[in-house]
Amino acid sequence: MAVTDEAIEKIKGMIVSGALRPGDRLPKESELAAALGLSRNSLREAVRALSLIRILDVRQGDGTYVTSLDPQLLLEALSFVVDFHRDDTVLEFLAVRRILEPAATAMAAARISEQQLDVLAGQLDRLGDAPSVEELVAGDLEFHRGIVQTSGNSVLCSLLDGLSGPTTRARVWRGLTQEDAVSRTLHEHRAILAALRDRDAEAARSWATAHIASVEQWLRASL
Amino acid sequence: MAVTDEAIEKIKGMIVSGALRPGDRLPKESELAAALGLSRNSLREAVRALSLIRILDVRQGDGTYVTSLDPQLLLEALSFVVDFHRDDTVLEFLAVRRILEPAATAMAAARISEQQLDVLAGQLDRLGDAPSVEELVAGDLEFHRGIVQTSGNSVLCSLLDGLSGPTTRARVWRGLTQEDAVSRTLHEHRAILAALRDRDAEAARSWATAHIASVEQWLRASL
DNA sequence: GTCGTCCCAGACGTCCGACGTCTCACGTCA
DNA sequence: TGACGTGAGACGTCGGACGTCTGGGACGAC
């Protein structure tokens, strides 16, 4: 195994074992390199790799720190990876979202506050009846994220965020050319919101499932 | 933005745009560094980072290649990230698994072959009535993976693999000290298998849910 | 002709030393 | 007391040198 890979494993070990805790500062590069028995260049490759996936936070002129290691932060790296997938796997990602999002929406029904409901309603109102594709994609993202965030499970929230981030969603909408796609989407969003306001978890789950299923159906037909 | 980060973005762009396709070989480090306008050292940091998340495959003495970019491969990096999460987030991961796994198990009911059913049954038989904790963890992993793989969705499969890989599962079992945990788990596995053999998707889903819920319950009580 | 072996060009792996750039903290001065 | 300048120290980048490994071609035995 290359010394750089060893260094990655050792740094990982120091964090997992608790020797390095979230927020801790690492020894400076030259010292850590000496301690791990490799050159500064090779160590930097290890640090850079761990920094890409948000394990470490490198600040020029200051030092290198362990991040908070929050699920939200670590799963951010997921969207980076998801960007690489080819178009022909979009349907598989959508199928996973179809499993997760209805569950998250149902969980939100019991927890969402009146204030948050009003915020979501305001979003939909501002979007109007005939938004542009860019506005719709942004609004769609914001709407679902707002709901999922109140599910109370940060892992679930981050996972959905990563799986259906801006890039994926844009790819989906690029494939949706049907006339009534926009109006049906807006209608379904309002139905989900109404179910949440009624605290009806099952209705919310069903509307969320139907919402994603219809997107899936359109997409399957247009591929 | 640092030159290394720029290099990461440029290489990502080359892949996403299709200029570099899965399996393609990159120019040698010195040439690519010159083309991107940075030193070989800095370029290596970028390549190393992309290699950690399985975007690139570096072979000493040969060259650097784009991987297959299969969901299965890319989501492998997920388990690396999951290893860093603290114990207090295990329940959140388990809650997500409780959403995904029943769905995957239900999907498998319609697709699993008689041969695969026999393989799973053989696994359970070999495990016996009183396996060690290590054997049980390994068997548990193998059993669920065998089912999920027949769901037909590689993204779903890889995601579950990453979320509940060896490390996470070992952490869960470490917390399970109750006497009847082992026998109840084995019983539930057999129930899931019976439902699959009956092609009863709803029964399979319910048993999978109950199975994870009981693990969740034990874990919550023992934390 | 086929197969196995040897050898080497070429690519990645590692290291060193130097210098640039940025932060933070400290001390100065109004 | 506050703003400002300055310097030590950390990361950022570079070029070159050498080590290590792989793949493929040349060569010879069968």
Side-chain angles (χ1 to χ4, degrees):
Chain A
M1 187 190 278
V3 294
T4 301
D5 293 312
E6 282 180 31
I8 292 177
E9 288 302 320
K10 284 178 183 173
I11 296 174
K12 176 180 177 178
M14 287 191 281
I15 295 176
V16 171
S17 73
L20 284 175
R21 303 169 50 127
D24 278 0
R25 176 178 180 157
L26 274 67
K28 65 180 179 189
E29 290 180 347
S30 57
E31 285 179 9
L32 186 56
L36 297 182
L38 39 61
S39 73
R40 193 180 153 221
N41 269 338
S42 298
L43 173 68
R44 277 183 58 80
E45 290 184 18
V47 170
R48 170 71 66 175
L50 290 173
S51 145
L52 180 66
I53 57 176
R54 313 300 177 94
I55 302 295
L56 298 180
D57 180 20
V58 181
R59 307 177 200 160
Q60 180 178 77
D62 183 0
T64 303
Y65 299 81
V66 180
T67 66
S68 65
L69 299 182
D70 281 339
Q72 182 181 356
L73 187 66
L74 296 200
L75 291 176
E76 251 180 51
L78 187 63
S79 74
F80 185 90
V81 169
V82 169
D83 287 343
F84 283 92
H85 283 90
R86 282 163 285 126
D87 281 353
D88 54 16
T89 60
V90 168
L91 278 176
E92 291 199 357
F93 280 96
L94 207 55
V96 173
R97 194 180 151 215
R98 178 174 160 174
I99 297 170
L100 287 176
E101 184 127 1
T105 306
M107 288 163 73
R111 302 174 45 100
I112 196 165
S113 70
E114 292 296 328
Q115 186 190 349
Q116 287 168 313
L117 285 168
D118 292 339
V119 169
L120 290 175
Q123 273 178 26
L124 291 184
D125 288 340
R126 272 198 309 282
L127 215 51
D129 287 335
S132 68
V133 172
E134 287 73 23
E135 287 171 341
L136 187 61
V137 168
D140 186 54
L141 193 61
E142 200 178 351
F143 180 76
H144 288 289
R145 179 182 292 176
I147 293 173
V148 171
Q149 275 177 343
T150 64
S151 73
N153 185 323
S154 62
V155 171
L156 176 58
C157 179
S158 306
L159 214 51
L160 271 169
D161 240 33
L163 287 179
S164 50
T167 307
T168 304
R169 203 155 297 206
R171 269 195 268 182
V172 169
W173 281 103
R174 203 195 310 142
L176 292 182
T177 53
Q178 295 196 8
E179 279 287 321
D180 56 350
V182 174
S183 67
R184 284 186 60 176
T185 294
L186 292 174
H187 174 253
E188 286 161 4
H189 280 184
R190 292 207 175 273
I192 291 173
L193 188 56
L196 290 178
R197 207 177 274 283
D198 289 344
R199 308 285 170 191
D200 188 338
E202 280 317 303
R205 182 197 306 275
S206 298
W207 272 112
T209 304
H211 177 50
I212 300 179
S214 67
V215 172
E216 206 176 328
Q217 197 176 29
W218 297 335
L219 195 61
R220 199 188 304 273
S222 70
L223 282 182
Chain B
M1 187 191 280
V3 293
T4 300
D5 293 314
E6 281 180 31
I8 291 177
E9 287 301 321
K10 284 177 183 172
I11 295 174
K12 175 179 179 178
M14 286 191 281
I15 296 175
V16 171
S17 73
L20 284 174
R21 304 169 50 121
D24 278 1
R25 177 177 179 157
L26 274 67
K28 64 180 178 189
E29 290 180 346
S30 57
E31 285 180 8
L32 186 56
L36 297 182
L38 40 63
S39 72
R40 192 181 152 221
N41 270 335
S42 299
L43 173 68
R44 277 183 58 80
E45 290 185 17
V47 170
R48 169 72 64 176
L50 291 174
S51 148
L52 180 68
I53 56 175
R54 315 299 178 93
I55 301 296
L56 298 180
D57 179 20
V58 182
R59 307 176 202 163
Q60 179 178 18
D62 184 0
T64 303
Y65 300 81
V66 180
T67 67
S68 65
L69 300 182
D70 281 338
Q72 182 182 355
L73 188 66
L74 296 199
L75 292 177
E76 251 181 51
L78 186 63
S79 74
F80 185 90
V81 169
V82 170
D83 286 343
F84 283 93
H85 282 91
R86 282 162 284 126
D87 281 353
D88 55 15
T89 60
V90 168
L91 279 175
E92 291 198 358
F93 279 96
L94 206 55
V96 173
R97 194 179 152 216
R98 178 174 162 173
I99 297 169
L100 287 177
E101 184 127 0
T105 306
M107 289 164 71
R111 302 174 46 100
I112 196 166
S113 69
E114 291 296 328
Q115 187 190 348
Q116 286 167 313
L117 286 168
D118 292 339
V119 170
L120 290 175
Q123 274 178 27
L124 291 184
D125 289 340
R126 273 198 308 282
L127 215 52
D129 287 335
S132 70
V133 173
E134 288 73 22
E135 288 171 340
L136 186 62
V137 169
D140 187 55
L141 193 61
E142 201 178 350
F143 179 77
H144 288 289
R145 179 183 291 177
I147 294 174
V148 172
Q149 275 177 344
T150 64
S151 72
N153 185 322
S154 62
V155 171
L156 177 57
C157 180
S158 306
L159 213 51
L160 271 169
D161 240 33
L163 287 179
S164 50
T167 306
T168 304
R169 203 156 300 204
R171 268 195 270 184
V172 169
W173 282 103
R174 204 195 309 142
L176 291 183
T177 53
Q178 296 197 8
E179 280 287 319
D180 56 349
V182 174
S183 66
R184 285 186 60 175
T185 294
L186 293 174
H187 174 254
E188 286 161 5
H189 280 185
R190 293 206 175 273
I192 291 173
L193 189 56
L196 291 177
R197 207 176 275 284
D198 288 344
R199 308 285 171 192
D200 188 337
E202 280 316 304
R205 182 197 307 275
S206 297
W207 273 112
T209 304
H211 176 50
I212 299 179
S214 67
V215 173
E216 204 176 327
Q217 198 176 26
W218 297 336
L219 195 61
R220 200 187 304 274
S222 70
L223 283 183

